[in-house]
């Protein structure tokens, strides 16, 4: 079945650093979604991407829909403590498939 | 004014017991889901209902039985609880058809601990 490979699995960064993570698949998706899960909460939708090559921003977050439709990228600029959490990519082709998450930790 | 609400937030119970988790959404969505998040934080879909009709039933033990009395509610009943059922269970909802392009809205989860 369809699977999403999300990397890195974990990131440890200093406050103020930029962050990049990505999601790849062997299958084509029509829509890519990026979610964030804060500790003790459910995932919350950050950005939705609907067209190959599309670049969309939400504050300090920027996500791109890969041109091959098999990948997507999320960048966070100038990280702050509240960026800590798990970031999930998700691809939509009939139903939503979730990646295994990237755990973002910010070092004091 | 919570969009997707689950109760209880925490549930600690003994092996062999039967328990239920309730979910309600006030977003006017017609599709609801149950997800299980294990200790590694992987999100795995269990069930999906559209307008009270079961449309997705992944490989889940038949001790798990979802019930949707109306399109705003999706409850999860678990019989004969086992240690391996310990996890966080998330309810989610969405529009169907092209509405799914806007993604799912998740509840805040129910942390089930079986002892």
């Amino acid at each position: 079945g369809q699977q999403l490979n999300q990397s890195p699995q974990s990131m440890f960064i200093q406050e103020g650093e930029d962050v990049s993570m990505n999601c790849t698949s062997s299958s084509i998706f029509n829509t890519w979604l990026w979610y964030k899960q804060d500790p003790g909460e459910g995932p919350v939708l950050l950005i939705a991407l609907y067209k190959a090559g599309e670049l969309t921003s939400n504050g300090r977050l920027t996500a791109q829909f890969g041109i091959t439709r098999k990948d997507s990228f999320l960048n966070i600029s100038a990280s702050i403590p509240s960026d800590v959490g798990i970031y999930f990519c998700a691809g939509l082709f009939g139903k939503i498939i979730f990646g295994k998450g990237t755990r973002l930790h910010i070092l004091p | 004014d919570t969009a997707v609400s689950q109760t209880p937030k925490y549930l600690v119970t003994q092996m062999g017991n039967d328990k239920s988790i309730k979910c309600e959404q006030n977003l006017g969505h017609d599709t609801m889901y149950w997800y299980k998040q294990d200790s590694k934080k992987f999100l795995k879909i269990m069930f999906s209902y559209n307008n009270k009709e079961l449309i997705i039933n992944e490989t889940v033990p038949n001790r798990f039985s979802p019930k949707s009395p109306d399109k705003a509610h999706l409850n999860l009943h678990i019989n004969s609880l086992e240690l391996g059922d310990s996890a966080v269970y998330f309810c989610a909802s969405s529009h169907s058809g092209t509405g799914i392009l806007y993604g799912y809205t998740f509840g805040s989860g129910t942390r089930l601990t079986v002892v």
Side-chain angles (χ1 to χ4, degrees):
Chain A
Q2 293 168 313
Q3 288 189 21
L4 297 183
N5 299 309
Q6 195 170 346
S7 66
Q9 189 173 351
S10 290
M11 300 184 75
F12 292 82
I13 62 166
Q14 300 280 354
E15 184 177 347
E17 285 185 18
D18 296 344
V19 172
S20 290
M21 60 189 79
N22 69 79
C23 203
T24 60
S25 172
S26 57
S27 305
I28 287 173
F29 286 98
N30 293 331
T31 297
W32 284 95
L33 306 166
W34 284 92
Y35 282 84
K36 183 195 176 197
Q37 183 177 14
D38 288 327
E41 297 296 328
V44 173
L45 183 65
L46 297 174
I47 293 178
L49 302 158
Y50 301 111
K51 277 195 325 191
E54 180 181 354
L55 190 70
T56 297
S57 293
N58 178 1
R60 294 177 295 104
L61 277 60
T62 302
Q64 183 161 23
F65 192 140
I67 201 75
T68 65
R69 294 169 61 195
K70 293 182 178 181
D71 55 9
S72 180
F73 307 87
L74 177 70
N75 295 317
I76 305 172
S77 62
S79 58
I80 59 177
S82 62
D83 291 334
V84 165
I86 305 174
Y87 292 80
F88 291 99
C89 65
L92 171 62
F93 196 93
K95 64 178 181 179
I96 291 181
I97 310 292
F98 284 90
K100 293 184 176 179
T102 293
R103 290 133 190 82
L104 180 61
H105 306 269
I106 297 184
L107 301 169
Chain B
D1 59 346
T2 305
V4 180
S5 59
Q6 296 178 229
T7 54
K9 175 85 173 170
Y10 300 97
L11 184 54
V12 181
T13 187
Q14 291 188 326
M15 274 197 308
N17 283 350
D18 303 339
K19 290 293 179 186
S20 292
I21 307 171
K22 295 186 176 181
C23 180
E24 175 182 4
Q25 55 94 6
N26 62 5
L27 296 166
H29 291 162
D30 57 2
T31 305
M32 296 184 73
Y33 312 83
W34 278 110
Y35 275 81
K36 180 180 180 181
Q37 187 173 48
D38 60 22
S39 58
K40 293 184 178 179
K41 306 297 186 183
F42 300 157
L43 283 165
K44 186 174 178 183
I45 190 164
M46 301 172 69
F47 302 103
S48 171
Y49 270 73
N50 175 259
N51 279 320
K52 303 192 296 177
E53 187 177 332
L54 182 66
I55 56 172
I56 292 177
N57 184 355
E58 294 293 312
T59 307
V60 176
N62 57 15
R63 298 181 295 103
F64 290 78
S65 53
K67 285 188 171 48
S68 182
D70 55 62
K71 68 178 187 178
H73 295 83
L74 180 61
N75 303 323
L76 183 65
H77 188 77
I78 315 170
N79 289 328
S80 303
L81 278 154
E82 300 177 357
L83 292 176
D85 297 331
S86 296
V88 181
Y89 292 84
F90 286 102
C91 177
S93 70
S94 74
H95 288 295
S96 59
T98 55
I100 201 174
L101 293 174
Y102 300 101
Y104 300 164
T105 302
F106 283 85
S108 58
T110 295
R111 180 175 293 278
L112 171 65
T113 304
V114 182
V115 297

